[in-house]
Amino acid sequence: MVIEKVGVIGAGQMGNGIAHVFALAGFDVLLNDISQDSLDKAMATISHNLDRQVSREKITQAAMDDAIARIKTTMNLEELGKTDLVIEAATEREDVKNAIFEKLLPHLKPETILTSNTSSISITRLASRTDRPEKFMGFHFMNPVPIMQLVELIRGIATDEETYLALVAVVEKLGKTAASAEDFPAFIVNRILMPMINEAVYTLYEGVGSVRSIDESMKLGANHPMGPLELADFIGLDTCLAIMNVLHEGLADTKYRPCPLLTKYVEAGWLGRKTDRGFYDYRGETPVPTR
């Protein structure tokens, strides 16, 4: 199974990072979004990030130029039908993902592999809504994609071995490391990470520590590069809440109950860095705790 052309659905933070690493690894990339503005911003971000890699001598100028030349953009989802591999990186909502697959399916080649970059939603359930559950997998990249080395590969109950091995080979070509995860809520990384973040929010909610003391404690006491609340702001509090809800509903265990304070921040629209306010306020020169 030869994979040369890759379609990426969604030009946001994850989608532009995925397009970046695939183009740099020699794949032809077709990047799709419903907004031309989002596509333009994605290409500017990719160019900026590649330029930074050149300045740090991670890649050559020629490699950057070649990578940018390999990325094409389109607002027409049907155009992705000619690709060998599709990676859906749209918002973390199952109804949105299902609607995208439904619209795309009639245009796909029979052999095209369909994947989702979902961080928590059942791969088996997403695959069951398509015409190719045996060629459907979870392909979960970590954020920021150009820097993080891990890719979680999640097989649904119907995924065949050929599809799995094809994606293992793709991850190797990207220069990243694959970790195989079973299809249970939030897979491996977020099954462990999100309850830790949620517990940090409970620690704040119950007044055990302030935002700054919680983050400093985990950075200096557990040697974490970022504190859990700072990390939550980086990920997006809406994404953290969505994953906690998937864990809570999917595993029916009260230990996964989202902290009410996390819900409150999301209701306020304080989603972290992307809205300039979360557990920190980013509107000034340096982040200031909001609690």
Side-chain angles (χ1 to χ4, degrees), residues 197 199-219 227-230 233 261 265 278-280 288-291:
I197 287 175
E199 194 62 29
V201 183
Y202 266 115
T203 306
L204 178 65
Y205 177 62
E206 293 169 6
V208 180
S210 66
V211 169
R212 203 177 293 283
S213 65
I214 291 165
D215 277 351
E216 287 298 309
S217 293
M218 293 307 291
K219 282 194 283 188
L229 300 175
E230 182 187 4
D233 276 357
L261 184 61
Y265 268 70
F279 292 112
Y280 292 87
V288 178
T290 54
R291 243 180 136 73

